[in-house]
Amino acid sequence: MSFSEDKFSDDSRLHLAQIIDNVNAGIWEYNINTRAIKWSTGFYTILGYAPNEIECSNHLFFEHLLYHQDKHIFLNALNNQNSAKPLQIRLLTKASGYHWFESTIKRHDDQNGHVIYGSIININQYKQAQLQAAKNDLLYSETIRIAKLGSWEIEAGTLNLTLSKQIYDIYELQSQVKLTLDEAISFFEPSYRSVIQHAINNALEFCQPYDLELLFRTAKNNVIWVRAKGVPIIDDFGKSVKVRGIIQDIDNNKRKGLSLESSLNLLTDQNRRLQNFAYIVSHNLRSHTGNLQFMVNLYEETELAGDRNEIFSHIKSISGSLNATIEHLNEIVKIQTEITNERSIISFESIFKNIQSAIKSNIDALNARIEYDFSQCQQISYIPAYMESILQNLLTNALKYSHPERQPLIRCYTLKDRNHIYLIFEDNGIGIDLERYGDKIFGMYKTFHQNPDARGIGLFITRNQIEALGGTIKVESTVNIGTKFTIKLV
């Protein structure tokens, strides 16, 4: 049964049905008392059917036309017929599958009984566009989330700052509080604030874009690397009216890049030292063996006993030098072999005191004043033999190169900065001319003073021991003032 076959409840509703039929919409009516259902001509047409081509029945509607996931929505709406909110459902069309329709549901009581009626309008195009827009929004949000970036905008006239939600996520601010430009800049690490402020000023005043990588401290005190990019928006007069940009969390990639760069630098340095070591081995051993061979030949050619004794003494001296060189080279090779030794928790103070006792005569002879403070970091997990060697080399060096005109003052202490432990050695000795010897100070057999005890092997071994465990050593020195070694242990 359809509206075309039967009368509407009244003339006005029939008239209304005819109007709706002409605007690509349809109406339906359901009598609760008789369970009779009516569809208008437009109802059939909007689904792609001719009037009466399909049976007008509740069974057909609920079992074939209405999308199964929308049944509960429609039934809930029937139980709340007076809701003014339109209902969006999917109905099966004849030619192109399910389409989205918007339906209203109203209840009307008259002489024919209790009647529920409503209209359907095809909103498929609008709904598909809405779903696509929602999908695009979701895709955009996911892209933004995965890329860890947010957007911002600064008004040139007022310096009013607008931040996206993702910016607040990067700032780790739970509530989207209104931030001024100065407040937003204050989240950058102090040494980078002037950099970002200068870039923003240039963008506002001189229309210059910028793209920077800066350190940033979040509201939860996490220090991260961010990429800050800004682009000026220019009016018809070439004046900047806004600056728009992004802030992106690049911490993970940035730290990987820095670590890779550090590893490459370390590898390059290690290769350089390896080549230097190979050169030393080749040069020194060849020098010793050549001298030794020369003296042996000379010894065989000499017949006088006195000359032979003198030549033999030279042979003994060369042999001793050769043995010392081999011991030095063995020391360096041992560093790499001992790197697999187990670390253990060692006390800085305990080892330092032992070394002081071992070289007490040297300290007393120079009347050296030695101060230490390991309160910031008292212990470390390290290879004990390495730590003992490092401390001993630095302490004996500080004594060896003390200034002859003043009492030696040597300070040794530890610092802890986040996950890093530093060992600092300072003295007031004769210092090193770093401009002249800076690139050679940790080289093998490199000496820079006329001290007869200098062999140029201690700092070479110390650096190898420190770097073998992933640390670094840096030196600051001023001639006649003193020297400071900063050792990053971990």
Side-chain angles (χ1 to χ4, degrees):
M1 183 178 294
S2 73
F3 285 98
S4 59
E5 293 176 329
D6 198 5
K7 293 183 178 178
F8 282 99
S9 300
D10 52 47
D11 292 340
S12 59
R13 288 171 60 190
L14 177 59
H15 182 64
L16 179 61
Q18 291 173 339
I19 294 174
I20 291 175
D21 289 345
N22 292 326
V23 295
N24 195 26
I27 61 172
W28 55 270
E29 182 179 290
Y30 174 67
N31 190 305
I32 297 175
N33 298 333
T34 64
R35 304 179 69 82
I37 186 167
K38 300 175 185 175
W39 295 343
S40 71
T41 300
F43 189 97
Y44 290 96
T45 304
I46 204 169
L47 293 176
Y49 295 98
N52 301 320
E53 185 179 349
I54 56 175
E55 180 188 6
C56 176
S57 70
N58 290 326
H59 175 76
L60 183 78
F61 180 80
F62 282 103
E63 298 303 325
H64 296 284
L65 295 182
L66 183 61
Y67 188 63
H68 67 94
Q69 288 187 354
D70 296 340
K71 283 183 182 178
H72 71 284
I73 300 173
F74 195 82
L75 290 171
N76 288 340
L78 286 178
N79 295 326
N80 185 23
Q81 305 93 352
N82 293 321
S83 172
K85 187 176 180 182
L87 184 67
Q88 293 184 350
I89 56 175
R90 282 159 286 188
L91 297 176
L92 184 63
T93 64
K94 181 179 180 180
S96 54
Y98 285 97
H99 278 203
W100 282 96
F101 290 85
E102 188 170 272
S103 175
T104 56
I105 298 178
K106 291 290 182 183
R107 177 177 174 141
H108 178 72
D109 298 328
D110 60 11
Q111 67 275 15
N112 296 320
H114 304 298
V115 176
I116 302 174
Y117 64 93
S119 62
I120 58 170
I121 301 173
N122 191 318
I123 60 168
N124 195 60
Q125 189 173 1
Y126 157 76
K127 187 67 178 181
Q128 292 299 338
Q130 187 184 50
L131 292 174
Q132 186 61 44
K135 184 179 178 182
N136 291 342
D137 286 346
L138 178 62
L139 185 62
Y140 172 76
S141 299
E142 281 297 291
T143 302
I144 292 292
R145 185 184 64 79
I146 293 170
K148 295 183 177 179
L149 65 85
S151 60
W152 52 265
E153 183 178 280
I154 301 171
E155 294 285 345
T158 62
L159 296 183
N160 185 43
L161 178 65
T162 305
L163 304 174
S164 71
K165 176 188 177 301
Q166 291 78 18
I167 287 282
Y168 286 94
D169 293 340
I170 293 173
Y171 272 70
E172 292 192 314
L173 287 169
Q174 292 182 350
S175 58
Q176 296 184 15
V177 294
K178 181 69 176 173
L179 292 179
T180 65
L181 181 57
D182 288 341
E183 289 170 339
I185 290 175
S186 71
F187 280 78
F188 289 87
E189 284 289 87
S191 58
Y192 292 95
R193 288 174 196 162
S194 59
V195 177
I196 186 67
Q197 181 69 70
H198 180 70
I200 293 172
N201 290 344
N202 273 350
L204 290 169
E205 296 176 21
F206 306 112
C207 304
Q208 293 180 356
Y210 64 87
D211 190 351
L212 302 168
E213 293 182 352
L214 310 166
L215 268 177
F216 182 89
R217 188 177 292 273
T218 71
K220 294 183 179 179
N221 210 30
N222 294 315
V223 177
I224 61 172
W225 281 98
V226 297
R227 182 184 183 188
K229 189 173 183 179
V231 178
I233 308 300
I234 303 170
D235 63 12
D236 295 338
F237 305 100
K239 188 176 179 181
S240 177
V241 292
K242 291 179 181 178
V243 178
R244 289 182 184 144
I246 57 104
I247 292 179
Q248 183 176 19
D249 179 352
I250 58 168
D251 191 64
N252 195 27
N253 288 338
K254 181 68 177 180
R255 291 191 189 279
K256 284 180 181 176
L258 291 174
S259 176
L260 181 61
E261 185 180 343
S262 176
S263 298
L264 285 174
N265 290 337
L266 183 60
L267 187 61
T268 302
D269 193 47
Q270 286 176 338
N271 282 338
R272 183 181 58 76
R273 285 187 287 116
L274 186 61
Q275 288 176 348
N276 187 38
F277 179 72
Y279 169 76
I280 290 166
V281 170
S282 172
H283 177 268
N284 289 15
L285 291 185
R286 188 172 64 239
S287 174
H288 289 309
T289 56
N291 289 337
L292 195 57
Q293 184 64 48
F294 175 77
M295 285 298 169
V296 168
N297 291 340
L298 194 60
Y299 182 85
E300 290 175 343
E301 293 170 358
T302 302
E303 295 180 353
L304 296 176
D307 292 343
R308 280 196 158 200
N309 289 338
E310 183 181 350
I311 293 169
F312 189 72
S313 68
H314 286 307
I315 291 174
K316 287 174 65 177
S317 175
I318 294 169
S319 175
S321 297
L322 176 60
N323 188 55
T325 298
I326 291 174
E327 285 181 1
H328 293 157
L329 297 176
N330 188 50
E331 283 285 324
I332 297 162
V333 173
K334 276 173 62 182
I335 293 172
Q336 297 303 320
T337 57
E338 288 175 350
I339 197 171
T340 55
N341 289 355
E342 286 190 8
R343 300 186 185 206
S344 58
I345 302 298
I346 56 176
S347 162
F348 284 108
E349 183 172 339
S350 176
I351 283 191
F352 195 73
K353 280 185 174 179
N354 289 339
I355 293 169
Q356 275 188 278
S357 298
I359 59 173
K360 185 173 185 306
S361 59
N362 293 359
I363 297 171
D364 291 343
L366 294 168
N367 189 29
R369 182 178 154 199
I370 298 177
E371 299 175 352
Y372 61 84
D373 179 4
F374 303 116
S375 57
Q376 286 206 27
C377 180
Q378 299 176 8
Q379 297 179 325
I380 188 172
S381 174
Y382 220 71
I383 297 175
Y386 280 15
M387 182 53 66
E388 186 174 342
S389 173
I390 292 166
L391 288 170
Q392 182 163 342
N393 270 325
L394 293 175
L395 186 54
T396 52
N397 263 7
L399 293 170
K400 192 184 297 180
Y401 301 110
S402 59
H403 201 286
E405 297 178 0
R406 54 179 174 253
Q407 180 191 20
L409 172 60
I410 301 167
R411 294 181 66 239
C412 181
Y413 54 96
T414 53
L415 294 175
K416 194 165 187 179
D417 180 22
R418 279 172 254 169
N419 296 324
H420 300 304
I421 296 174
Y422 294 89
L423 178 65
I424 315 294
F425 244 92
E426 294 177 349
D427 66 54
N428 64 342
I430 57 179
I432 305 168
D433 185 349
L434 293 181
E435 285 191 12
R436 188 173 179 183
Y437 302 115
D439 59 337
K440 299 176 182 175
I441 191 168
F442 295 106
M444 193 173 186
Y445 297 137
K446 301 297 182 185
T447 57
F448 318 107
H449 304 291
Q450 301 307 315
N451 192 316
D453 294 333
R455 296 181 303 158
I457 194 72
L459 286 179
F460 182 80
I461 290 176
T462 296
R463 180 179 181 178
N464 275 269
Q465 289 169 328
I466 293 167
E467 293 184 348
L469 296 183
T472 59
I473 180 169
K474 293 181 181 177
V475 59
E476 302 166 60
S477 188
T478 305
V479 175
N480 288 327
I481 300 296
T483 303
K484 176 181 178 181
F485 289 97
T486 302
I487 303 160
K488 181 182 172 184
L489 293 169
V490 291

